[in-house]
């Protein structure tokens, strides 16, 4: 098995992946030579962390501008798996995805925690491309045009960003306009938004406070006007207004729409969901991330993701109704 050509971060279920996972876990716990090759190996065609390690290191460099050495990465992952000599972290693998998809999440979480502890990455006080999110769709088309015209004219991303945020075209129409398939569109959109966030953070203009929010932003107070706007926003997203039976007022205040997104992050944090479920729902419902991209992030198939997201939406609908009934009394 050591010679097997592993795709270290393939999100799809592989044939016999459970058997392969059991084999790797057993060898990591009992075979020091295998453990050495697996954690420190550099040949991506063998059973090791080579491709996984390169992917995570590149992501952190691109998003946080922090360079991690292979040795540092290996040390962090070894320690989290070793778990003080118990190897109990390996026992948390639940066979819901490939072992490498699971390990990618464990490794990245461990590395990010170390970087935050050692203050290489701030806890949110310092904004980066990686710890912020665009809120352009909560702004007027005019504001979006102003931002894009000022910061992205002359770049290859200008037309795509204009189509998304100014013209508000559907992904299907944009793919047709630019002759892209879904995968190409998702990649181009992600790159364009990365460049726009980077330009916003470097700009001397004051656009940042309007169209860029911290991913961890929290809302302190919630007004009845805000809840009304949230109801309309939910209706636009799902076709069903979960609050229409108790509040039907329509508000168009753009600042309130921004708070809607913040509230949804805060509200979903309080639901008794797993971290994976919360991430899936936020990326699909709030951030409108393409399902194929979310599937890759969580290490599951597209079909599994669609089913899970549908179930989470039903749970959210029930929870938000209960919340509103208690607050409207």
């Amino acid at each position: 098995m050591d010679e097997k050509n592993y795709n270290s971060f393939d999100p799809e279920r592989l044939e016999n992946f459970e058997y392969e996972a059991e084999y790797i876990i057993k060898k990591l716990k009992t075979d020091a030579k295998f453990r050495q090759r697996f954690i420190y190996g550099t040949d991506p065609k063998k059973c090791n962390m080579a491709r996984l390690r390169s992917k995570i290191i590149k992501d952190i460099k691109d998003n946080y501008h922090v360079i991690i050495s292979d040795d540092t990465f290996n040390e962090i992952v070894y320690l989290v798996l070793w778990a003080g000599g118990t190897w109990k972290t390996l026992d948390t693998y639940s066979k819901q995805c490939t072992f490498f998809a699971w390990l990618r999440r464990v490794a990245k979480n461990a590395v990010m925690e170390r970087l935050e502890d050692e203050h290489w990455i701030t806890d949110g006080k310092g904004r980066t491309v990686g710890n912020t999110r665009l809120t352009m769709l909560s702004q007027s088309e005019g504001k979006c045009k102003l931002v894009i015209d000022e910061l992205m004219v002359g770049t290859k991303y200008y037309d795509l960003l204009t189509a998304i945020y100014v013209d508000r075209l559907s992904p299907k129409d944009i793919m047709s306009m630019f002759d892209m398939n879904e995968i190409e569109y998702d990649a181009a959109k992600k790159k364009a938004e990365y460049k726009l966030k980077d330009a916003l953070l470097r700009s001397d203009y004051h656009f940042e406070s309007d169209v860029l929010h911290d991913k961890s932003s929290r809302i302190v107070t919630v007004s009845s006007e805000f809840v009304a706007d949230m109801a309309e926003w939910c209706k636009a997203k799902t076709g069903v207004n979960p609050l229409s039976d108790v509040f039907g007022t329509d508000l168009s205040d753009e600042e309130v729409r921004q708070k809607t997104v913040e509230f949804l992050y805060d509200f979903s944090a309080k639901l008794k969901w797993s971290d994976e479920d919360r991430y899936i729902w936020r990326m699909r419902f709030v951030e409108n991330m393409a399902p194929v991209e979310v599937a890759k992030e969580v290490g599951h198939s597209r079909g599994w993701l669609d089913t899970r997201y549908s179930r989470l939406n039903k749970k959210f609908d029930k929870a938000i109704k209960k919340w509103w009934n208690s607050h409207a009394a």
Side-chain angles (χ1 to χ4, degrees), residues 5-17:
N5 183 2
Y6 275 87
N7 184 340
S8 303
F9 41 89
D10 186 346
E12 301 297 331
R13 287 175 174 265
L14 303 177
E15 185 177 358
N16 298 322
F17 81 90

Side-chain angles (χ1 to χ4, degrees), residues 170-206:
S170 68
K172 182 178 180 180
D173 289 339
I174 294 174
M175 285 187 279
S176 177
M177 176 186 296
F178 292 95
D179 193 24
M180 295 177 177
N181 59 36
E182 185 176 359
I183 294 176
E184 291 169 340
Y185 168 74
D186 291 340
K189 181 174 182 287
K190 185 176 181 179
K191 186 68 173 180
E193 290 178 336
Y194 178 93
K195 293 296 184 180
L196 177 56
K197 287 199 289 183
D198 184 64
L200 284 164
L201 291 168
R202 296 173 184 274
S203 172
D204 292 329
Y205 294 98
H206 298 292

Side-chain angles (χ1 to χ4, degrees), residues 17-151:
F17 81 90
E18 292 184 5
Y19 165 76
E20 294 172 353
E22 290 174 357
Y23 174 88
I24 294 172
I25 290 171
K26 180 180 178 180
K27 296 288 281 185
L28 285 172
K29 288 181 176 181
T30 62
D31 189 332
K33 289 184 178 179
F34 176 90
R35 191 158 58 234
Q36 178 76 16
R37 293 195 300 269
F38 183 88
I39 293 176
Y40 299 97
T42 58
D43 186 344
K45 293 183 179 180
K46 294 186 177 181
C47 182
N48 57 48
M49 299 196 309
R51 293 185 67 184
L52 176 153
R53 179 173 53 238
S54 297
K55 176 73 165 56
I56 294 175
I57 288 176
K58 181 180 185 301
D59 285 347
I60 292 174
K61 179 182 177 182
D62 289 344
N63 292 323
Y64 297 94
H65 308 293
V66 174
I67 299 175
I68 307 169
S69 70
D70 287 0
D71 288 342
T72 298
F73 182 94
N74 295 338
E75 175 200 352
I76 294 171
V77 176
Y78 179 89
L79 289 174
V80 75
L81 295 180
W82 182 60
T86 66
W87 298 102
K88 64 182 181 181
T89 302
L90 293 170
D91 296 332
T92 66
Y93 171 69
S94 60
K95 301 181 180 179
Q96 298 300 307
C97 60
T98 67
F99 178 77
F100 282 103
W102 172 84
L103 181 60
R104 180 164 66 97
R105 294 197 298 273
V106 171
K108 187 168 185 178
N109 288 341
V111 172
M112 293 299 294
E113 184 176 349
R114 171 75 72 85
L115 293 176
E116 289 175 1
D117 287 345
E118 296 183 358
H119 305 293
W120 286 97
I121 293 176
T122 65
D123 59 2
K125 295 178 180 178
R127 284 184 157 189
T128 68
V129 172
N131 65 19
T132 54
R133 56 185 174 82
L134 287 171
T135 58
M136 297 278 282
L137 290 177
S138 69
Q139 300 293 318
S140 67
E141 291 90 339
K143 171 59 74 65
C144 292
K145 179 173 174 56
L146 178 63
V147 172
I148 294 170
D149 284 351
E150 288 290 345
L151 299 179

Side-chain angles (χ1 to χ4, degrees), residues 215-232:
K215 286 184 176 179
S216 59
S217 60
R218 310 278 286 185
I219 187 167
V220 178
T221 59
V222 179
S223 65
S224 59
E225 290 82 9
F226 157 66
V227 175
D229 194 77
M230 184 179 70
E232 294 303 314

